[in-house]
């Protein structure tokens, strides 16, 4: 099983890890200290540091020493993760502090993470819970050598049949991410039943990406792991750790290139189809004076390139994987078409578009010439007055490498989950809004708002399909309306129905290949996948699941359906 572990893990630990299939132990408790032995055994073999065991009650607790004694063997001395996941502020930002403390105290079922309530005092556990949310000093590094050393691969038997081990339409499969216990369910979209269920890395994020034939899927985790999985044979093909905290991965249309966007370190990492590292890119300004977390990377299929948003610097990058890509000219020129200045190779080079504000996430128009990006409110520096609320979204022309319009959207538009569809004599973009109960509908010819559709509360996801006249959106960001999906008629731009799951979070719609059924997640620990008739809005079937979040249809993703995000 050592192929699922970082190369730096001592091999003496491997005999005690028979359950590590597909890195499942990396999904332990995500947020908590762990040890290959029980807390009681740890306490017996090594006394607590004097600072916590014998010091006066008023003395500060030595949380760092507690961590090294009880946690470092599984989560790493610098908290970057070994058998257990990374315990870094970037990895824990979406975990409530009270949940961190609870898992330290009680442990997690069905993992080797036992509770520490009988070993540590309440004050010591609280000190640990607080400490793992603080930055590591010095900041951990993850070099190209570390990336290459982390890679593992499973050889394919030479006589293995090139066909699935299951009987279903490979283009109508769903990947369902179950965050409750870090598993994946492979769902048959025709029979609406599970084909298989297998463990995943901790905290998958950014959506899985499929190869064009639908056979392979690439998963990205917040801990920086990329996993290539064979859906035909139901097994891991290769894994590599691209960074310590990763936002998402993108796969080129031809399946030859995979790019990872990292928060930590501030890099992009480019791999070939077998997850061999090709190169990394430092996410810095041209002069190298400022660096940035990478917000997102997406494949722009018609352009044969990756497009990259930066979190902390006002630039949008395009990296072409076309060997015939034109040369790149940095800086300002009279006419970008004239090729003035000193050129750099276009193939796998960085083509920069300067912006006034960084983009947090973005969406392509149908031509892939334009990027529609969200701009988050900037936090004022110490002693600085809060900036006035400006445009929250903008349109960037990738060919001209400049902003061409502001989008008149208030609040916090979530453009990364927007959809496009035909309306009257134009094409419109409809986007949920994290800051208010409204769907903003934008004419993509004029970049003007044509309608603001009220919903019960702020939402995160919106989905539709070419074969249905309806779009579905959630209000999962609302404490009062998180249990409600609103159904909108794309012809009239009016809400026509709602479905509810009272008191429970109902979110993230995805459609079957033919658009006949809509699948929604009851995102609770004891949750479910609910299947609705897309025409009548009636529940057809319910499958129990452990906090299902995203679900992704192979056909809709690889064909870039107008009703799904790309």
């Amino acid at each position: 099983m050592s192929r699922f572990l970082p190369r730096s893990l001592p091999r003496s630990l491997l005999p005690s890890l028979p359950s590590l299939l597909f890195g499942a132990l990396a999904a332990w408790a995500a947020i908590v200290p762990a040890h290959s032995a029980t807390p009681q055994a740890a306490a017996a073999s090594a006394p607590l540091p004097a600072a916590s065991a014998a010091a006066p009650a008023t003395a500060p607790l030595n949380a760092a020493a507690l961590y090294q004694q009880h946690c470092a063997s599984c989560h790493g001395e610098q908290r970057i993760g070994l058998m257990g996941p990374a315990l870094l502020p970037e990895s824990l930002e979406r975990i409530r502090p009270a949940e961190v403390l609870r898992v330290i105290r009680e442990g997690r079922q069905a993992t080797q993470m036992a509770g520490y309530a009988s070993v540590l005092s309440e004050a010591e556990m609280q000190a640990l819970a607080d400490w793992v949310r603080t930055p590591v000093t010095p900041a951990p590094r993850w070099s190209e050598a570390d990336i290459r050393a982390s890679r593992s691969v499973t050889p394919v038997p030479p006589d293995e049949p090139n066909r699935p081990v299951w009987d279903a339409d490979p283009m109508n499969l769903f990947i369902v991410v179950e965050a409750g216990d870090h598993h994946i369910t492979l769902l048959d979209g025709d029979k609406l039943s599970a084909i298989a269920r297998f463990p995943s890395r901790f905290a998958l994020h950014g959506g899985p990406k499929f190869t064009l034939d639908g056979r392979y899927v690439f998963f990205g985790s917040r801990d920086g792991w990329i996993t290539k999985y064979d859906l035909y044979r139901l097994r891991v093909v290769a894994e590599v750790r691209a960074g310590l905290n990763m936002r998402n991965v993108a796969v080129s249309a031809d399946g030859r290139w995979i790019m990872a966007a990292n928060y930590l370190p501030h890099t992009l990492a480019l791999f070939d189809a077998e997850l061999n590292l090709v190169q990394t890119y430092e996410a810095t300004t041209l002069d190298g004076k400022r660096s940035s977390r990478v917000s997102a990377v997406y494949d722009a299929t018609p352009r044969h390139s990756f497009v990259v948003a930066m979190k902390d610097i006002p630039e949008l990058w395009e990296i072409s994987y076309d060997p015939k890509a034109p040369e790149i000219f940095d800086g300002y020129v009279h006419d970008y078409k004239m090729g003035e200045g000193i050129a750099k190779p276009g193939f796998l080079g960085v083509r920069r578009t300067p912006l006034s504000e960084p983009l947090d996430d973005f969406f392509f128009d149908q031509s892939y010439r334009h990027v529609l990006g969200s701009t988050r409110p900037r936090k004022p520096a110490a002693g600085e007055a809060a900036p006035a609320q400006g445009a929250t979204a903008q349109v960037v022309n990738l060919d001209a490498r400049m902003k061409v319009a502001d989008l008149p959207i208030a609040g916090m538009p979530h453009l990364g989950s927007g959809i496009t569809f035909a309306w009257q004599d134009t094409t419109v973009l409809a986007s949920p809004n994290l800051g208010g109960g409204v769907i903003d509908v934008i004419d993509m010819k004029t970049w003007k708002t044509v309608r603001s559709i009220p919903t019960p509360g702020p939402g995160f996801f919106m989905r539709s399909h070419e074969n249905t006249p309806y779009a579905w959106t959630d209000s999962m960001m609302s404490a009062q309306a998180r249990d409600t999906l609103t159904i909108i008629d794309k012809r009239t731009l009016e809400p026509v129905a709602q479905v509810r799951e009272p008191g429970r979070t109902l979110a993230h719609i995805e459609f079957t290949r033919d658009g006949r059924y809509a699948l929604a997640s009851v995102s609770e620990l004891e949750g479910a996948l609910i299947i609705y008739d897309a025409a009548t809005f009636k529940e057809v079937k319910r499958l129990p699941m452990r906090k299902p979040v995203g679900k992704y249809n192979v056909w809709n993703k690889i064909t870039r359906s107008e009703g799904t995000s790309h």
Side-chain angles (χ1 to χ4, degrees):
M1 302 301 173
S2 60
R3 66 188 180 91
F4 298 114
L5 300 177
R7 299 289 178 88
S8 57
L9 181 65
R11 297 192 65 85
S12 61
L13 290 175
L14 294 180
S16 65
L17 304 177
S19 61
L20 270 178
L21 285 175
F22 192 6
L25 285 186
W28 280 2
I31 53 171
V32 293
H35 200 281
S36 57
T38 64
Q40 291 78 10
S45 61
L48 287 175
S52 60
T58 56
L61 292 169
N62 190 339
L66 288 171
Y67 176 86
Q68 292 301 322
Q69 180 180 354
H70 295 285
C71 317
S73 64
C74 290
H75 296 282
E77 291 188 2
Q78 281 202 300
R79 300 175 9 220
I80 66 173
L82 286 174
M83 294 186 305
L87 300 179
L88 302 168
E90 296 87 350
S91 303
L92 305 179
E93 62 182 356
R94 295 195 175 188
I95 309 296
R96 298 177 188 273
E99 178 66 8
V100 176
L101 179 60
R102 185 194 68 77
V103 181
I104 293 174
R105 184 189 297 117
E106 301 174 12
R108 286 178 68 96
Q109 295 180 356
T111 74
Q112 294 190 21
M113 175 61 205
Y116 279 71
S118 63
V119 176
L120 301 177
S121 69
E122 190 68 22
E124 288 169 330
M125 290 186 288
Q126 183 65 63
L128 270 174
D130 293 340
W131 192 71
V132 296
R133 302 182 76 90
T134 62
V136 174
T137 304
R141 300 180 60 83
W142 196 248
S143 66
E144 290 190 350
D146 293 320
I147 296 173
R148 291 189 171 96
S150 72
R151 180 178 176 269
S152 63
V153 63
T154 303
V156 177
D159 57 347
E160 182 176 71
N162 187 24
R163 60 177 181 268
V165 297
W166 34 260
D167 181 19
D169 177 0
M171 292 290 109
N172 197 24
L173 299 179
F174 285 85
I175 289 289
V176 184
V177 178
E178 296 184 61
D181 59 358
H182 311 292
H183 273 69
I184 301 294
T185 289
L186 182 64
L187 189 75
D188 184 333
D190 293 314
K191 298 177 182 177
L192 302 176
S193 60
I195 295 172
R197 191 173 189 266
F198 50 89
S200 75
R201 287 279 178 180
F202 164 70
L204 299 185
H205 188 257
K209 304 298 187 296
F210 301 97
T211 55
L212 273 181
D213 60 3
R215 175 167 184 171
Y216 299 102
V217 61
F218 293 85
F219 299 104
S221 79
R222 284 193 176 274
D223 273 358
W225 285 97
I226 305 173
T227 302
K228 181 180 181 180
Y229 192 85
D230 185 346
L231 292 176
Y232 281 17
R233 310 306 296 181
L234 298 179
R235 68 177 177 212
V236 173
V237 175
E239 284 196 307
V240 70
R241 193 175 190 183
L244 301 178
N245 185 260
M246 186 171 69
R247 289 294 291 172
N248 74 322
V249 297
V251 178
S252 64
D254 57 11
R256 294 182 57 197
W257 309 99
I258 292 86
M259 181 165 277
N262 287 322
Y263 260 25
L264 184 70
H266 292 179
T267 60
L268 289 158
L270 180 68
F271 301 87
D272 67 15
E274 301 307 319
L275 298 184
N276 293 292
L277 180 66
V278 177
Q279 70 179 91
T280 59
Y281 299 79
E282 297 289 332
T284 65
T285 51
L286 187 60
D287 60 12
K289 292 182 179 180
R290 297 175 59 192
S291 71
S292 175
R293 297 166 291 174
V294 184
S295 292
V297 57
Y298 296 117
D299 176 59
T301 298
R303 302 177 68 86
H304 305 290
S305 66
F306 295 113
V307 177
V308 184
M310 298 294 167
K311 184 77 171 179
D312 308 306
I313 58 177
E315 292 183 358
L316 189 71
W317 289 10
E318 184 172 15
I319 299 174
S320 177
Y321 49 80
D322 182 353
K324 298 180 180 179
E327 294 177 316
I328 297 170
F329 298 87
D330 286 317
Y332 291 100
V333 296
H334 290 96
D335 186 338
Y336 76 96
K337 296 179 181 178
M338 292 175 60
E340 301 175 16
I342 300 174
K344 297 190 302 186
F347 178 57
L348 301 183
V350 176
R351 191 180 303 273
R352 301 169 187 259
T353 296
L355 305 171
S356 58
E357 294 288 343
L359 298 184
D360 190 70
D361 202 355
F362 61 91
F363 185 87
F364 294 107
D365 69 352
Q366 295 88 341
S367 70
Y368 281 75
R369 292 184 61 227
H370 295 98
V371 159
L372 290 70
S374 304
T375 299
R376 296 290 178 255
R378 181 174 60 86
K379 293 182 179 180
E384 180 185 11
Q389 177 67 51
T392 59
Q394 54 188 290
V395 182
V396 179
N397 186 300
L398 291 172
D399 293 332
R401 295 164 62 184
M402 62 183 295
K403 185 181 80 169
V404 294
D406 286 319
L407 293 179
I409 303 176
M412 296 175 65
H414 192 220
L415 295 174
S417 286
I419 63 171
T420 59
F421 54 90
W423 179 73
Q424 296 184 358
D425 61 349
T426 188
T427 298
V428 295
L429 162 72
S431 170
N433 199 301
L434 304 177
V438 65
I439 297 295
D440 299 292
V441 183
I442 305 293
D443 186 327
M444 298 186 74
K445 291 180 180 177
T446 65
W447 308 120
K448 303 296 184 183
T449 300
V450 297
R451 191 72 57 85
S452 294
I453 306 171
T455 63
F460 204 85
F461 297 104
M462 187 174 191
R463 293 290 184 266
S464 187
H465 191 277
E466 294 88 345
N467 295 338
T468 175
Y470 303 109
W472 299 52
T473 188
D474 62 54
S475 294
M476 66 175 294
M477 309 301 290
S478 166
Q480 293 75 35
R482 63 187 177 88
D483 59 2
T484 303
L485 292 174
T486 300
I487 302 165
I488 297 167
D489 190 319
K490 295 187 293 186
R491 298 161 296 190
T492 64
L493 303 184
E494 295 290 343
V496 293
Q498 291 182 340
V499 295
R500 295 190 63 219
E501 188 69 13
R504 312 180 82 194
T505 300
L506 188 61
H508 198 285
I509 283 284
E510 178 63 294
F511 287 80
T512 51
R513 174 181 178 174
D514 58 8
R516 182 179 177 184
Y517 297 107
L519 285 65
S521 295
V522 179
S523 293
E524 307 286 347
L525 189 58
E526 300 298 331
L529 191 69
I530 303 180
I531 301 159
Y532 296 96
D533 185 302
T536 66
F537 319 139
K538 301 297 184 182
E539 180 176 332
V540 173
K541 193 172 185 178
R542 181 176 295 232
L543 302 175
M545 291 193 180
R546 301 283 288 176
K547 197 175 183 180
V549 284
K551 66 205 70 64
Y552 309 88
N553 181 269
V554 173
W555 178 258
N556 292 342
K557 286 298 181 182
I558 65 176
T559 60
R560 306 195 307 277
S561 166
E562 72 174 20
T564 188
S565 60
H566 304 163

